[in-house]
Amino acid sequence: MASPEIEALTQALSKLPGLGPRSARRAVLHLLKKREGALAPLLNALMAVEENLSTCSICGNIDTTNPCAVCADPRRDARALCVVEEVADLWALDRSRLFPGRFHVLGGRLSALEGVRPEDLAIESLVRRIGDGGIDEVVLAMNATLEGQTTAHYIAERIERFPIRITQLAHGLPVGGELDYLDEGTLAQALRARRPVS
């Protein structure tokens, strides 16, 4: 039996992705046992983020500065722009360190079932950003779902009038994947995107 405060902390942690009630209890016990080394730094970090959290006015990233660290980085190639559905996608691509350009977060994807329309996403700001010039390539990095591909197609139609190269992430066989375990959609995309052996 825990106090109401400890129970409230456990409940709050259990709402985080990847943490169920049991994992949250283990995390709370760890924080309580390591009060000085874990609980205090966590509290300080949470308070600092909460006080300074903002959405980047340029790309839509979430950071503690505006513009965010990605947009403010002078080493980034301003001519290449990668469009993603969510901030988590931006963070995943940025973590890979494979894309040297800048990003644009849509804030979701088009979905008739969920009632998400083009005006619900940051598509107009994307079109304005491209219209301002200085961008040579737009990479549409949408998820390989029906909604993601519909969103990519819609954006491609909206920006095709600009003198830019529009590309999309490749889809198909994952590295280390075995044909036996892949779904038909992945196999079909891999076959459609086949290329000559060099």
Side-chain angles (χ1 to χ4, degrees):
M1 292 293 168
S3 70
E5 294 84 3
I6 293 174
E7 191 57 38
L9 176 59
T10 304
Q11 290 295 321
L13 287 178
S14 71
K15 292 178 182 169
L16 295 174
L19 285 181
R22 292 176 71 184
S23 299
R25 275 194 294 278
R26 283 195 294 274
V28 167
L29 283 172
H30 173 77
L31 290 170
L32 297 177
K33 285 181 182 176
K34 309 283 185 184
R35 205 170 310 163
E36 296 302 315
L39 185 60
L42 177 63
L43 286 171
N44 292 336
L46 286 171
M47 289 176 66
V49 167
E50 196 272 332
E51 289 172 5
N52 300 305
L53 192 64
S54 66
T55 301
C56 180
S57 58
I58 298 171
C59 74
N61 188 15
I62 297 173
D63 205 342
T64 55
T65 59
N66 187 14
C68 71
V70 175
C71 289
D73 187 348
R75 296 168 297 178
R76 293 275 181 173
D77 183 359
R79 294 167 298 151
L81 185 65
C82 184
V83 182
V84 296
E85 293 178 20
E86 301 287 353
V87 171
D89 304 325
L90 184 158
W91 289 3
L93 285 167
D94 193 45
R95 215 174 24 251
S96 75
R97 300 191 186 280
L98 297 173
F99 183 72
R102 307 236 166 134
F103 292 91
H104 187 88
V105 180
L106 295 174
R109 62 187 177 276
L110 297 174
S111 173
L113 289 174
E114 296 171 14
V116 181
R117 302 162 303 166
E119 52 269 22
D120 298 324
L121 304 176
I123 294 174
E124 286 306 318
S125 59
L126 170 65
V127 173
R128 280 194 304 274
R129 211 171 156 188
I130 295 167
D132 288 344
I135 295 173
D136 296 335
E137 179 184 12
V138 172
V139 180
L140 299 175
M142 311 294 110
N143 290 315
T145 62
L146 178 62
E147 293 89 355
Q149 295 312 295
T150 300
T151 306
H153 183 71
Y154 178 83
I155 292 171
E157 285 183 345
R158 289 288 312 273
I159 64 176
E160 67 185 356
R161 69 179 190 265
F162 297 108
I164 56 171
R165 195 172 90 170
I166 303 169
T167 59
Q168 189 172 18
L169 292 183
H171 301 287
L173 299 177
V175 174
E178 296 182 31
L179 297 178
D180 204 19
Y181 294 104
L182 299 176
D183 64 277
E184 289 178 18
T186 302
L187 286 171
Q189 183 62 37
L191 282 169
R192 279 194 298 271
R194 64 188 183 275
R195 53 190 165 82
V197 176
S198 49

PDB file of all heavy atoms in Angstrom, residues 144-182:
ATOM      1  N   ALA A 144       4.512   4.459 -44.330  1.00  0.00           N
ATOM      2  CA  ALA A 144       4.065   3.585 -45.423  1.00  0.00           C
ATOM      3  C   ALA A 144       2.687   3.000 -45.115  1.00  0.00           C
ATOM      4  O   ALA A 144       2.476   1.797 -45.162  1.00  0.00           O
ATOM      5  CB  ALA A 144       5.087   2.479 -45.667  1.00  0.00           C
ATOM      6  N   THR A 145       1.755   3.905 -44.809  1.00  0.00           N
ATOM      7  CA  THR A 145       0.371   3.507 -44.568  1.00  0.00           C
ATOM      8  C   THR A 145      -0.477   4.137 -45.659  1.00  0.00           C
ATOM      9  O   THR A 145      -0.016   5.035 -46.377  1.00  0.00           O
ATOM     10  CB  THR A 145      -0.118   4.011 -43.195  1.00  0.00           C
ATOM     11  OG1 THR A 145      -0.061   5.457 -43.193  1.00  0.00           O
ATOM     12  CG2 THR A 145       0.722   3.461 -42.061  1.00  0.00           C
ATOM     13  N   LEU A 146      -1.717   3.698 -45.769  1.00  0.00           N
ATOM     14  CA  LEU A 146      -2.606   4.286 -46.766  1.00  0.00           C
ATOM     15  C   LEU A 146      -2.753   5.783 -46.527  1.00  0.00           C
ATOM     16  O   LEU A 146      -2.654   6.581 -47.470  1.00  0.00           O
ATOM     17  CB  LEU A 146      -3.978   3.595 -46.715  1.00  0.00           C
ATOM     18  CG  LEU A 146      -5.025   4.134 -47.681  1.00  0.00           C
ATOM     19  CD1 LEU A 146      -4.576   3.958 -49.119  1.00  0.00           C
ATOM     20  CD2 LEU A 146      -6.361   3.452 -47.452  1.00  0.00           C
ATOM     21  N   GLU A 147      -2.952   6.191 -45.272  1.00  0.00           N
ATOM     22  CA  GLU A 147      -3.100   7.611 -44.954  1.00  0.00           C
ATOM     23  C   GLU A 147      -1.813   8.380 -45.228  1.00  0.00           C
ATOM     24  O   GLU A 147      -1.845   9.505 -45.732  1.00  0.00           O
ATOM     25  CB  GLU A 147      -3.512   7.802 -43.490  1.00  0.00           C
ATOM     26  CG  GLU A 147      -4.891   7.298 -43.156  1.00  0.00           C
ATOM     27  CD  GLU A 147      -4.891   5.835 -42.736  1.00  0.00           C
ATOM     28  OE1 GLU A 147      -3.823   5.180 -42.787  1.00  0.00           O
ATOM     29  OE2 GLU A 147      -5.974   5.345 -42.360  1.00  0.00           O
ATOM     30  N   GLY A 148      -0.676   7.773 -44.887  1.00  0.00           N
ATOM     31  CA  GLY A 148       0.611   8.422 -45.126  1.00  0.00           C
ATOM     32  C   GLY A 148       0.860   8.650 -46.606  1.00  0.00           C
ATOM     33  O   GLY A 148       1.308   9.722 -47.021  1.00  0.00           O
ATOM     34  N   GLN A 149       0.560   7.647 -47.412  1.00  0.00           N
ATOM     35  CA  GLN A 149       0.774   7.769 -48.853  1.00  0.00           C
ATOM     36  C   GLN A 149      -0.230   8.732 -49.483  1.00  0.00           C
ATOM     37  O   GLN A 149       0.097   9.446 -50.431  1.00  0.00           O
ATOM     38  CB  GLN A 149       0.725   6.397 -49.512  1.00  0.00           C
ATOM     39  CG  GLN A 149       1.861   5.473 -49.063  1.00  0.00           C
ATOM     40  CD  GLN A 149       3.223   6.155 -49.112  1.00  0.00           C
ATOM     41  OE1 GLN A 149       3.706   6.516 -50.177  1.00  0.00           O
ATOM     42  NE2 GLN A 149       3.850   6.352 -47.952  1.00  0.00           N
ATOM     43  N   THR A 150      -1.447   8.767 -48.964  1.00  0.00           N
ATOM     44  CA  THR A 150      -2.442   9.733 -49.438  1.00  0.00           C
ATOM     45  C   THR A 150      -1.964  11.151 -49.142  1.00  0.00           C
ATOM     46  O   THR A 150      -2.070  12.046 -49.984  1.00  0.00           O
ATOM     47  CB  THR A 150      -3.809   9.485 -48.752  1.00  0.00           C
ATOM     48  OG1 THR A 150      -4.242   8.160 -49.074  1.00  0.00           O
ATOM     49  CG2 THR A 150      -4.850  10.486 -49.197  1.00  0.00           C
ATOM     50  N   THR A 151      -1.406  11.353 -47.956  1.00  0.00           N
ATOM     51  CA  THR A 151      -0.879  12.662 -47.566  1.00  0.00           C
ATOM     52  C   THR A 151       0.278  13.061 -48.469  1.00  0.00           C
ATOM     53  O   THR A 151       0.347  14.206 -48.944  1.00  0.00           O
ATOM     54  CB  THR A 151      -0.427  12.642 -46.087  1.00  0.00           C
ATOM     55  OG1 THR A 151      -1.509  12.191 -45.274  1.00  0.00           O
ATOM     56  CG2 THR A 151       0.035  14.006 -45.628  1.00  0.00           C
ATOM     57  N   ALA A 152       1.180  12.125 -48.732  1.00  0.00           N
ATOM     58  CA  ALA A 152       2.328  12.405 -49.615  1.00  0.00           C
ATOM     59  C   ALA A 152       1.852  12.787 -51.013  1.00  0.00           C
ATOM     60  O   ALA A 152       2.356  13.740 -51.618  1.00  0.00           O
ATOM     61  CB  ALA A 152       3.252  11.190 -49.674  1.00  0.00           C
ATOM     62  N   HIS A 153       0.877  12.066 -51.532  1.00  0.00           N
ATOM     63  CA  HIS A 153       0.344  12.350 -52.867  1.00  0.00           C
ATOM     64  C   HIS A 153      -0.306  13.736 -52.906  1.00  0.00           C
ATOM     65  O   HIS A 153      -0.092  14.508 -53.844  1.00  0.00           O
ATOM     66  CB  HIS A 153      -0.668  11.267 -53.261  1.00  0.00           C
ATOM     67  CG  HIS A 153      -1.222  11.437 -54.629  1.00  0.00           C
ATOM     68  ND1 HIS A 153      -0.478  11.214 -55.766  1.00  0.00           N
ATOM     69  CD2 HIS A 153      -2.453  11.844 -55.046  1.00  0.00           C
ATOM     70  CE1 HIS A 153      -1.223  11.470 -56.820  1.00  0.00           C
ATOM     71  NE2 HIS A 153      -2.429  11.860 -56.411  1.00  0.00           N
ATOM     72  N   TYR A 154      -1.078  14.060 -51.887  1.00  0.00           N
ATOM     73  CA  TYR A 154      -1.737  15.372 -51.815  1.00  0.00           C
ATOM     74  C   TYR A 154      -0.697  16.492 -51.794  1.00  0.00           C
ATOM     75  O   TYR A 154      -0.818  17.488 -52.517  1.00  0.00           O
ATOM     76  CB  TYR A 154      -2.641  15.444 -50.578  1.00  0.00           C
ATOM     77  CG  TYR A 154      -3.298  16.790 -50.424  1.00  0.00           C
ATOM     78  CD1 TYR A 154      -4.455  17.099 -51.116  1.00  0.00           C
ATOM     79  CD2 TYR A 154      -2.746  17.761 -49.582  1.00  0.00           C
ATOM     80  CE1 TYR A 154      -5.061  18.349 -50.988  1.00  0.00           C
ATOM     81  CE2 TYR A 154      -3.339  19.006 -49.448  1.00  0.00           C
ATOM     82  CZ  TYR A 154      -4.497  19.291 -50.153  1.00  0.00           C
ATOM     83  OH  TYR A 154      -5.071  20.531 -50.025  1.00  0.00           O
ATOM     84  N   ILE A 155       0.333  16.340 -50.963  1.00  0.00           N
ATOM     85  CA  ILE A 155       1.377  17.371 -50.869  1.00  0.00           C
ATOM     86  C   ILE A 155       2.131  17.487 -52.189  1.00  0.00           C
ATOM     87  O   ILE A 155       2.410  18.605 -52.650  1.00  0.00           O
ATOM     88  CB  ILE A 155       2.339  17.075 -49.700  1.00  0.00           C
ATOM     89  CG1 ILE A 155       1.601  17.251 -48.370  1.00  0.00           C
ATOM     90  CG2 ILE A 155       3.568  17.967 -49.750  1.00  0.00           C
ATOM     91  CD1 ILE A 155       2.376  16.782 -47.165  1.00  0.00           C
ATOM     92  N   ALA A 156       2.441  16.361 -52.808  1.00  0.00           N
ATOM     93  CA  ALA A 156       3.151  16.391 -54.091  1.00  0.00           C
ATOM     94  C   ALA A 156       2.350  17.187 -55.121  1.00  0.00           C
ATOM     95  O   ALA A 156       2.925  17.979 -55.882  1.00  0.00           O
ATOM     96  CB  ALA A 156       3.409  14.969 -54.578  1.00  0.00           C
ATOM     97  N   GLU A 157       1.038  17.007 -55.144  1.00  0.00           N
ATOM     98  CA  GLU A 157       0.197  17.768 -56.075  1.00  0.00           C
ATOM     99  C   GLU A 157       0.200  19.257 -55.750  1.00  0.00           C
ATOM    100  O   GLU A 157       0.184  20.088 -56.651  1.00  0.00           O
ATOM    101  CB  GLU A 157      -1.241  17.239 -56.044  1.00  0.00           C
ATOM    102  CG  GLU A 157      -1.417  15.930 -56.766  1.00  0.00           C
ATOM    103  CD  GLU A 157      -2.868  15.464 -56.771  1.00  0.00           C
ATOM    104  OE1 GLU A 157      -3.693  15.992 -55.981  1.00  0.00           O
ATOM    105  OE2 GLU A 157      -3.172  14.564 -57.575  1.00  0.00           O
ATOM    106  N   ARG A 158       0.219  19.578 -54.456  1.00  0.00           N
ATOM    107  CA  ARG A 158       0.199  20.993 -54.049  1.00  0.00           C
ATOM    108  C   ARG A 158       1.501  21.719 -54.377  1.00  0.00           C
ATOM    109  O   ARG A 158       1.487  22.936 -54.596  1.00  0.00           O
ATOM    110  CB  ARG A 158      -0.047  21.108 -52.535  1.00  0.00           C
ATOM    111  CG  ARG A 158      -1.422  20.765 -52.048  1.00  0.00           C
ATOM    112  CD  ARG A 158      -2.472  21.804 -52.420  1.00  0.00           C
ATOM    113  NE  ARG A 158      -2.118  23.180 -52.146  1.00  0.00           N
ATOM    114  CZ  ARG A 158      -2.313  23.803 -50.993  1.00  0.00           C
ATOM    115  NH1 ARG A 158      -2.877  23.173 -49.979  1.00  0.00           N
ATOM    116  NH2 ARG A 158      -1.959  25.073 -50.838  1.00  0.00           N
ATOM    117  N   ILE A 159       2.628  21.002 -54.378  1.00  0.00           N
ATOM    118  CA  ILE A 159       3.919  21.686 -54.561  1.00  0.00           C
ATOM    119  C   ILE A 159       4.565  21.415 -55.914  1.00  0.00           C
ATOM    120  O   ILE A 159       5.664  21.904 -56.173  1.00  0.00           O
ATOM    121  CB  ILE A 159       4.899  21.329 -53.416  1.00  0.00           C
ATOM    122  CG1 ILE A 159       5.250  19.842 -53.422  1.00  0.00           C
ATOM    123  CG2 ILE A 159       4.338  21.770 -52.076  1.00  0.00           C
ATOM    124  CD1 ILE A 159       6.291  19.446 -52.383  1.00  0.00           C
ATOM    125  N   GLU A 160       3.885  20.692 -56.794  1.00  0.00           N
ATOM    126  CA  GLU A 160       4.505  20.347 -58.076  1.00  0.00           C
ATOM    127  C   GLU A 160       4.742  21.565 -58.970  1.00  0.00           C
ATOM    128  O   GLU A 160       5.560  21.509 -59.895  1.00  0.00           O
ATOM    129  CB  GLU A 160       3.676  19.293 -58.816  1.00  0.00           C
ATOM    130  CG  GLU A 160       2.325  19.767 -59.281  1.00  0.00           C
ATOM    131  CD  GLU A 160       1.497  18.655 -59.902  1.00  0.00           C
ATOM    132  OE1 GLU A 160       2.012  17.523 -60.045  1.00  0.00           O
ATOM    133  OE2 GLU A 160       0.339  18.924 -60.243  1.00  0.00           O
ATOM    134  N   ARG A 161       4.078  22.686 -58.692  1.00  0.00           N
ATOM    135  CA  ARG A 161       4.254  23.888 -59.519  1.00  0.00           C
ATOM    136  C   ARG A 161       5.579  24.599 -59.244  1.00  0.00           C
ATOM    137  O   ARG A 161       5.997  25.462 -60.004  1.00  0.00           O
ATOM    138  CB  ARG A 161       3.082  24.838 -59.303  1.00  0.00           C
ATOM    139  CG  ARG A 161       3.034  25.483 -57.940  1.00  0.00           C
ATOM    140  CD  ARG A 161       1.835  26.431 -57.834  1.00  0.00           C
ATOM    141  NE  ARG A 161       1.862  27.251 -56.652  1.00  0.00           N
ATOM    142  CZ  ARG A 161       1.249  26.966 -55.530  1.00  0.00           C
ATOM    143  NH1 ARG A 161       0.556  25.847 -55.423  1.00  0.00           N
ATOM    144  NH2 ARG A 161       1.311  27.787 -54.507  1.00  0.00           N
ATOM    145  N   PHE A 162       6.215  24.268 -58.134  1.00  0.00           N
ATOM    146  CA  PHE A 162       7.475  24.917 -57.782  1.00  0.00           C
ATOM    147  C   PHE A 162       8.650  24.221 -58.496  1.00  0.00           C
ATOM    148  O   PHE A 162       8.610  23.012 -58.724  1.00  0.00           O
ATOM    149  CB  PHE A 162       7.700  24.884 -56.271  1.00  0.00           C
ATOM    150  CG  PHE A 162       6.666  25.649 -55.488  1.00  0.00           C
ATOM    151  CD1 PHE A 162       5.708  24.987 -54.737  1.00  0.00           C
ATOM    152  CD2 PHE A 162       6.655  27.043 -55.514  1.00  0.00           C
ATOM    153  CE1 PHE A 162       4.758  25.687 -54.011  1.00  0.00           C
ATOM    154  CE2 PHE A 162       5.710  27.748 -54.795  1.00  0.00           C
ATOM    155  CZ  PHE A 162       4.751  27.081 -54.047  1.00  0.00           C
ATOM    156  N   PRO A 163       9.708  24.985 -58.811  1.00  0.00           N
ATOM    157  CA  PRO A 163      10.874  24.388 -59.489  1.00  0.00           C
ATOM    158  C   PRO A 163      11.778  23.636 -58.501  1.00  0.00           C
ATOM    159  O   PRO A 163      12.904  24.048 -58.221  1.00  0.00           O
ATOM    160  CB  PRO A 163      11.579  25.605 -60.091  1.00  0.00           C
ATOM    161  CG  PRO A 163      11.254  26.721 -59.137  1.00  0.00           C
ATOM    162  CD  PRO A 163       9.855  26.427 -58.639  1.00  0.00           C
ATOM    163  N   ILE A 164      11.252  22.552 -57.953  1.00  0.00           N
ATOM    164  CA  ILE A 164      11.985  21.758 -56.963  1.00  0.00           C
ATOM    165  C   ILE A 164      11.910  20.286 -57.346  1.00  0.00           C
ATOM    166  O   ILE A 164      11.044  19.878 -58.127  1.00  0.00           O
ATOM    167  CB  ILE A 164      11.400  21.933 -55.542  1.00  0.00           C
ATOM    168  CG1 ILE A 164       9.908  21.569 -55.532  1.00  0.00           C
ATOM    169  CG2 ILE A 164      11.632  23.332 -55.017  1.00  0.00           C
ATOM    170  CD1 ILE A 164       9.280  21.506 -54.162  1.00  0.00           C
ATOM    171  N   ARG A 165      12.798  19.532 -56.775  1.00  0.00           N
ATOM    172  CA  ARG A 165      12.759  18.080 -56.935  1.00  0.00           C
ATOM    173  C   ARG A 165      11.955  17.513 -55.773  1.00  0.00           C
ATOM    174  O   ARG A 165      12.221  17.831 -54.616  1.00  0.00           O
ATOM    175  CB  ARG A 165      14.188  17.529 -56.919  1.00  0.00           C
ATOM    176  CG  ARG A 165      14.300  16.119 -57.422  1.00  0.00           C
ATOM    177  CD  ARG A 165      15.741  15.755 -57.542  1.00  0.00           C
ATOM    178  NE  ARG A 165      16.100  15.192 -56.240  1.00  0.00           N
ATOM    179  CZ  ARG A 165      17.223  14.575 -55.974  1.00  0.00           C
ATOM    180  NH1 ARG A 165      18.143  14.474 -56.877  1.00  0.00           N
ATOM    181  NH2 ARG A 165      17.460  14.079 -54.790  1.00  0.00           N
ATOM    182  N   ILE A 166      10.965  16.676 -56.083  1.00  0.00           N
ATOM    183  CA  ILE A 166      10.137  16.069 -55.048  1.00  0.00           C
ATOM    184  C   ILE A 166      10.484  14.588 -54.996  1.00  0.00           C
ATOM    185  O   ILE A 166      10.356  13.881 -55.996  1.00  0.00           O
ATOM    186  CB  ILE A 166       8.634  16.257 -55.348  1.00  0.00           C
ATOM    187  CG1 ILE A 166       8.299  17.739 -55.484  1.00  0.00           C
ATOM    188  CG2 ILE A 166       7.791  15.629 -54.250  1.00  0.00           C
ATOM    189  CD1 ILE A 166       6.917  18.011 -56.033  1.00  0.00           C
ATOM    190  N   THR A 167      10.945  14.127 -53.836  1.00  0.00           N
ATOM    191  CA  THR A 167      11.314  12.723 -53.678  1.00  0.00           C
ATOM    192  C   THR A 167      10.538  12.129 -52.507  1.00  0.00           C
ATOM    193  O   THR A 167       9.915  12.845 -51.727  1.00  0.00           O
ATOM    194  CB  THR A 167      12.828  12.567 -53.430  1.00  0.00           C
ATOM    195  OG1 THR A 167      13.190  13.289 -52.254  1.00  0.00           O
ATOM    196  CG2 THR A 167      13.633  13.067 -54.611  1.00  0.00           C
ATOM    197  N   GLN A 168      10.592  10.811 -52.421  1.00  0.00           N
ATOM    198  CA  GLN A 168       9.892  10.097 -51.358  1.00  0.00           C
ATOM    199  C   GLN A 168      10.811   9.010 -50.831  1.00  0.00           C
ATOM    200  O   GLN A 168      11.644   8.476 -51.568  1.00  0.00           O
ATOM    201  CB  GLN A 168       8.616   9.482 -51.935  1.00  0.00           C
ATOM    202  CG  GLN A 168       7.692   8.893 -50.914  1.00  0.00           C
ATOM    203  CD  GLN A 168       6.362   8.485 -51.544  1.00  0.00           C
ATOM    204  OE1 GLN A 168       6.252   8.336 -52.746  1.00  0.00           O
ATOM    205  NE2 GLN A 168       5.360   8.289 -50.710  1.00  0.00           N
ATOM    206  N   LEU A 169      10.656   8.677 -49.562  1.00  0.00           N
ATOM    207  CA  LEU A 169      11.456   7.592 -48.999  1.00  0.00           C
ATOM    208  C   LEU A 169      11.149   6.300 -49.737  1.00  0.00           C
ATOM    209  O   LEU A 169      10.002   6.057 -50.128  1.00  0.00           O
ATOM    210  CB  LEU A 169      11.153   7.404 -47.511  1.00  0.00           C
ATOM    211  CG  LEU A 169      11.583   8.509 -46.562  1.00  0.00           C
ATOM    212  CD1 LEU A 169      11.272   8.108 -45.124  1.00  0.00           C
ATOM    213  CD2 LEU A 169      13.051   8.839 -46.699  1.00  0.00           C
ATOM    214  N   ALA A 170      12.152   5.466 -49.898  1.00  0.00           N
ATOM    215  CA  ALA A 170      11.951   4.164 -50.543  1.00  0.00           C
ATOM    216  C   ALA A 170      11.189   3.234 -49.608  1.00  0.00           C
ATOM    217  O   ALA A 170      11.275   3.346 -48.390  1.00  0.00           O
ATOM    218  CB  ALA A 170      13.303   3.551 -50.906  1.00  0.00           C
ATOM    219  N   HIS A 171      10.429   2.345 -50.203  1.00  0.00           N
ATOM    220  CA  HIS A 171       9.688   1.342 -49.437  1.00  0.00           C
ATOM    221  C   HIS A 171      10.062  -0.023 -49.988  1.00  0.00           C
ATOM    222  O   HIS A 171      10.391  -0.168 -51.149  1.00  0.00           O
ATOM    223  CB  HIS A 171       8.174   1.540 -49.599  1.00  0.00           C
ATOM    224  CG  HIS A 171       7.700   2.870 -49.150  1.00  0.00           C
ATOM    225  ND1 HIS A 171       7.618   3.221 -47.829  1.00  0.00           N
ATOM    226  CD2 HIS A 171       7.285   3.950 -49.842  1.00  0.00           C
ATOM    227  CE1 HIS A 171       7.167   4.451 -47.733  1.00  0.00           C
ATOM    228  NE2 HIS A 171       6.960   4.922 -48.950  1.00  0.00           N
ATOM    229  N   GLY A 172       9.983  -1.032 -49.173  1.00  0.00           N
ATOM    230  CA  GLY A 172      10.271  -2.374 -49.656  1.00  0.00           C
ATOM    231  C   GLY A 172      10.914  -3.234 -48.596  1.00  0.00           C
ATOM    232  O   GLY A 172      10.578  -3.156 -47.427  1.00  0.00           O
ATOM    233  N   LEU A 173      11.857  -4.040 -49.020  1.00  0.00           N
ATOM    234  CA  LEU A 173      12.473  -5.020 -48.133  1.00  0.00           C
ATOM    235  C   LEU A 173      13.336  -4.361 -47.062  1.00  0.00           C
ATOM    236  O   LEU A 173      14.191  -3.554 -47.378  1.00  0.00           O
ATOM    237  CB  LEU A 173      13.352  -5.977 -48.939  1.00  0.00           C
ATOM    238  CG  LEU A 173      12.653  -6.814 -50.006  1.00  0.00           C
ATOM    239  CD1 LEU A 173      13.678  -7.649 -50.758  1.00  0.00           C
ATOM    240  CD2 LEU A 173      11.625  -7.705 -49.373  1.00  0.00           C
ATOM    241  N   PRO A 174      13.122  -4.713 -45.802  1.00  0.00           N
ATOM    242  CA  PRO A 174      14.002  -4.186 -44.759  1.00  0.00           C
ATOM    243  C   PRO A 174      15.330  -4.933 -44.764  1.00  0.00           C
ATOM    244  O   PRO A 174      15.395  -6.103 -45.184  1.00  0.00           O
ATOM    245  CB  PRO A 174      13.228  -4.480 -43.468  1.00  0.00           C
ATOM    246  CG  PRO A 174      12.365  -5.652 -43.798  1.00  0.00           C
ATOM    247  CD  PRO A 174      12.042  -5.535 -45.268  1.00  0.00           C
ATOM    248  N   VAL A 175      16.384  -4.273 -44.314  1.00  0.00           N
ATOM    249  CA  VAL A 175      17.689  -4.921 -44.228  1.00  0.00           C
ATOM    250  C   VAL A 175      17.581  -6.076 -43.251  1.00  0.00           C
ATOM    251  O   VAL A 175      17.065  -5.939 -42.149  1.00  0.00           O
ATOM    252  CB  VAL A 175      18.761  -3.902 -43.758  1.00  0.00           C
ATOM    253  CG1 VAL A 175      20.089  -4.602 -43.530  1.00  0.00           C
ATOM    254  CG2 VAL A 175      18.910  -2.792 -44.771  1.00  0.00           C
ATOM    255  N   GLY A 176      18.010  -7.245 -43.655  1.00  0.00           N
ATOM    256  CA  GLY A 176      17.958  -8.424 -42.801  1.00  0.00           C
ATOM    257  C   GLY A 176      16.613  -9.130 -42.834  1.00  0.00           C
ATOM    258  O   GLY A 176      16.418 -10.124 -42.153  1.00  0.00           O
ATOM    259  N   GLY A 177      15.683  -8.598 -43.623  1.00  0.00           N
ATOM    260  CA  GLY A 177      14.356  -9.210 -43.699  1.00  0.00           C
ATOM    261  C   GLY A 177      14.364 -10.472 -44.552  1.00  0.00           C
ATOM    262  O   GLY A 177      15.107 -10.579 -45.516  1.00  0.00           O
ATOM    263  N   GLU A 178      13.538 -11.426 -44.184  1.00  0.00           N
ATOM    264  CA  GLU A 178      13.404 -12.654 -44.951  1.00  0.00           C
ATOM    265  C   GLU A 178      12.069 -12.626 -45.682  1.00  0.00           C
ATOM    266  O   GLU A 178      11.035 -12.299 -45.100  1.00  0.00           O
ATOM    267  CB  GLU A 178      13.491 -13.859 -44.013  1.00  0.00           C
ATOM    268  CG  GLU A 178      14.841 -13.967 -43.339  1.00  0.00           C
ATOM    269  CD  GLU A 178      14.938 -15.187 -42.445  1.00  0.00           C
ATOM    270  OE1 GLU A 178      14.297 -16.210 -42.741  1.00  0.00           O
ATOM    271  OE2 GLU A 178      15.661 -15.107 -41.448  1.00  0.00           O
ATOM    272  N   LEU A 179      12.109 -12.966 -46.972  1.00  0.00           N
ATOM    273  CA  LEU A 179      10.908 -12.904 -47.805  1.00  0.00           C
ATOM    274  C   LEU A 179       9.741 -13.662 -47.195  1.00  0.00           C
ATOM    275  O   LEU A 179       8.591 -13.233 -47.271  1.00  0.00           O
ATOM    276  CB  LEU A 179      11.207 -13.459 -49.198  1.00  0.00           C
ATOM    277  CG  LEU A 179      12.245 -12.702 -50.029  1.00  0.00           C
ATOM    278  CD1 LEU A 179      12.456 -13.397 -51.361  1.00  0.00           C
ATOM    279  CD2 LEU A 179      11.834 -11.272 -50.235  1.00  0.00           C
ATOM    280  N   ASP A 180      10.065 -14.743 -46.578  1.00  0.00           N
ATOM    281  CA  ASP A 180       9.086 -15.617 -45.967  1.00  0.00           C
ATOM    282  C   ASP A 180       8.190 -14.918 -44.937  1.00  0.00           C
ATOM    283  O   ASP A 180       7.033 -15.251 -44.767  1.00  0.00           O
ATOM    284  CB  ASP A 180       9.891 -16.723 -45.267  1.00  0.00           C
ATOM    285  CG  ASP A 180       9.114 -17.972 -45.091  1.00  0.00           C
ATOM    286  OD1 ASP A 180       8.117 -18.107 -45.796  1.00  0.00           O
ATOM    287  OD2 ASP A 180       9.501 -18.782 -44.235  1.00  0.00           O
ATOM    288  N   TYR A 181       8.755 -13.908 -44.254  1.00  0.00           N
ATOM    289  CA  TYR A 181       8.057 -13.260 -43.152  1.00  0.00           C
ATOM    290  C   TYR A 181       7.402 -11.928 -43.534  1.00  0.00           C
ATOM    291  O   TYR A 181       6.759 -11.302 -42.707  1.00  0.00           O
ATOM    292  CB  TYR A 181       9.028 -13.009 -41.986  1.00  0.00           C
ATOM    293  CG  TYR A 181       9.523 -14.288 -41.370  1.00  0.00           C
ATOM    294  CD1 TYR A 181      10.806 -14.752 -41.617  1.00  0.00           C
ATOM    295  CD2 TYR A 181       8.699 -15.032 -40.541  1.00  0.00           C
ATOM    296  CE1 TYR A 181      11.262 -15.939 -41.051  1.00  0.00           C
ATOM    297  CE2 TYR A 181       9.143 -16.216 -39.967  1.00  0.00           C
ATOM    298  CZ  TYR A 181      10.421 -16.660 -40.233  1.00  0.00           C
ATOM    299  OH  TYR A 181      10.864 -17.821 -39.662  1.00  0.00           O
ATOM    300  N   LEU A 182       7.584 -11.480 -44.778  1.00  0.00           N
ATOM    301  CA  LEU A 182       7.078 -10.169 -45.179  1.00  0.00           C
ATOM    302  C   LEU A 182       5.640 -10.244 -45.668  1.00  0.00           C
ATOM    303  O   LEU A 182       5.221 -11.238 -46.259  1.00  0.00           O
ATOM    304  CB  LEU A 182       7.968  -9.586 -46.275  1.00  0.00           C
ATOM    305  CG  LEU A 182       9.428  -9.363 -45.873  1.00  0.00           C
ATOM    306  CD1 LEU A 182      10.238  -8.885 -47.060  1.00  0.00           C
ATOM    307  CD2 LEU A 182       9.516  -8.360 -44.732  1.00  0.00           C
TER     308      LEU A 182
END
